[in-house]
Amino acid sequence: MEEIMKKRVILLLLPLGLFSATFNQDMQNYIDSLKTEAKRNSSNFMDFSSSRGEKIFNASSIGKRGKSISCSSCHNLDLTKNGKNIHTNKTLEPLAVSINQNRLTDVKNVKKWLRRNFKDVYVREGTALEKGDVLYYINSK
Amino acid sequence: MLKKLIIATIVLSSILWAKGVKPVENKLYKLECGSCHFAFQAGLLPERSWFKLMDNLENHFQDDASLDKADRELLVNYLVKNSSDKAYNYKRSRKMDRSISKKSVPIRITEVPYFIKKHRKVSQKIISQEEVKSLSNCTACHTKAQNGNYDDDYITIPNYGRWYD
């Protein structure tokens, strides 16, 4: 009786800790390639982390234009809400995959924006670890 | 017979002499050139301006807007095909184009003489407010800009109202 209860409790709790949408095949291949690269850079690497990704996303940095900026400056601290390009005022659709099913589906698009936006905020390309962490963060919302 | 002639004339003239600017119907252009700012219609600048702009996407008004070779080529073709100097049947394209001196190669729509003339009465107070920010933010006031329609009738300025010139 005890054993069955334990198993039931675990099965119930599992979804709470591990919410994330599944990536499509192309995106999964890309994520796997990032994992390979992250592992190559550091043998301690286990997996990407959405909480690390959240820190990268919200941290302020002196950006490309010489002013303080973060990813959330345009994309909002709350990924389920609209963002706004702070230079042009253009409304940005929510990043959260739960709201916007198009997000994190097109690898070419994802690679382009990761490249551009890391440069905007951090004035350099993101490392494989940083990219993976940020993708996990967006995917968790 | 006369009726048919009149109808034909009306239909033909609305095709040949269209108001406004030809709206953007190219999906790639909307996606790549409309994700950070309003997708400015190709008919707002002449071919030489688009060539100059597309030649330097790595430094696109302080942003990196670089594209892969294939996409860039597709977009250049689209812009050149629909540039203001090819779109004289559209009133705004004609007026924009004619106001630019032949030697001039503006890459800012806001620096085209016809544009400056049309916005000369818009105060700094209106432009600098949070909801507008700059004259390159067309859709802030031009409610039908997406359709290529920049008529006075469809201007509503935030915190100000309708525009009567």
Side-chain angles (χ1 to χ4, degrees), chain A residues 57 75-81 94-96 99 137-138 141:
Chain A
F57 200 88
H75 283 294
N76 208 315
L77 284 163
D78 180 352
L79 296 190
T80 63
K81 300 263 160 27
L95 262 187
I99 303 282
Y137 166 58
I138 297 168
K141 294 293 166 186

Side-chain angles (χ1 to χ4, degrees), chain A residues 64-65 84-92 108-109 112-113 115-116 119-120, chain B residues 32 34-37 61-68 71 130-133 137:
Chain A
K64 201 172 66 175
R65 295 190 186 205
K84 189 164 85 164
N85 183 311
I86 51 172
H87 307 301
T88 64
N89 259 16
K90 177 107 187 347
T91 302
L92 305 174
K108 184 179 168 187
N109 206 37
K112 181 184 82 183
W113 287 112
R115 186 188 82 237
R116 284 191 193 171
K119 279 188 182 174
D120 287 332
Chain B
E32 295 294 348
S35 47
C36 301
H37 57 59
F61 304 105
Q62 294 186 291
D63 273 323
D64 181 353
S66 53
L67 298 163
D68 70 35
D71 282 347
E130 184 60 34
E131 291 87 338
V132 181
K133 262 194 180 156
N137 188 6

Side-chain angles (χ1 to χ4, degrees), chain B residues 12-51:
Chain B
L12 207 63
S13 40
S14 61
I15 295 168
L16 293 175
W17 293 285
K19 289 186 92 177
V21 183
K22 184 181 176 190
V24 176
E25 79 290 9
N26 184 298
K27 272 196 184 143
L28 184 67
Y29 185 75
K30 258 192 206 159
L31 180 70
E32 295 294 348
C33 311
S35 47
C36 301
H37 57 59
F38 169 59
F40 306 108
Q41 289 95 2
L44 291 171
L45 285 174
E47 175 185 283
R48 59 191 186 281
S49 292
W50 290 122
F51 272 132

Side-chain angles (χ1 to χ4, degrees), chain B residues 9-126:
Chain B
T9 309
I10 292 169
V11 171
L12 207 63
S13 40
S14 61
I15 295 168
L16 293 175
W17 293 285
K19 289 186 92 177
V21 183
K22 184 181 176 190
V24 176
E25 79 290 9
N26 184 298
K27 272 196 184 143
L28 184 67
Y29 185 75
K30 258 192 206 159
L31 180 70
E32 295 294 348
C33 311
S35 47
C36 301
H37 57 59
F38 169 59
F40 306 108
Q41 289 95 2
L44 291 171
L45 285 174
E47 175 185 283
R48 59 191 186 281
S49 292
W50 290 122
F51 272 132
K52 185 174 178 184
L53 192 137
M54 292 298 282
D55 221 11
N56 194 13
L57 287 175
E58 309 74 40
N59 185 12
H60 180 66
F61 304 105
Q62 294 186 291
D63 273 323
D64 181 353
S66 53
L67 298 163
D68 70 35
K69 198 171 169 204
D71 282 347
R72 203 194 77 88
E73 235 171 82
L74 283 168
L75 290 173
V76 171
N77 287 342
Y78 168 70
L79 286 165
V80 157
K81 193 175 166 195
N82 295 284
S83 57
S84 59
D85 43 347
K86 320 276 174 34
Y88 269 35
N89 51 325
Y90 284 90
K91 175 181 151 188
R92 301 290 182 194
S93 292
R94 194 167 67 240
K95 299 229 173 190
M96 287 288 270
D97 200 72
R98 279 184 176 157
S99 77
I100 306 170
S101 75
K102 290 283 170 262
K103 286 185 188 166
S104 179
V105 191
I107 53 168
R108 286 181 194 271
I109 288 162
T110 52
E111 281 174 0
V112 172
Y114 176 71
F115 180 98
I116 293 171
K117 177 181 157 191
K118 295 300 270 181
H119 293 83
R120 70 193 182 284
K121 291 183 187 171
V122 183
S123 69
Q124 258 312 117
K125 194 175 168 194
I126 286 175

Side-chain angles (χ1 to χ4, degrees), chain A residues 21-28 30 95 97 100-111 135 138-139:
Chain A
T22 3
F23 292 112
N24 65 33
Q25 192 54 59
D26 284 342
M27 276 300 296
Q28 191 55 58
Y30 175 54
L95 262 187
V97 296
N100 200 337
Q101 270 89 51
N102 290 331
R103 295 298 191 187
L104 305 190
T105 55
D106 180 339
V107 174
K108 184 179 168 187
N109 206 37
V110 167
K111 277 183 176 175
L135 289 175
I138 297 168
N139 198 49

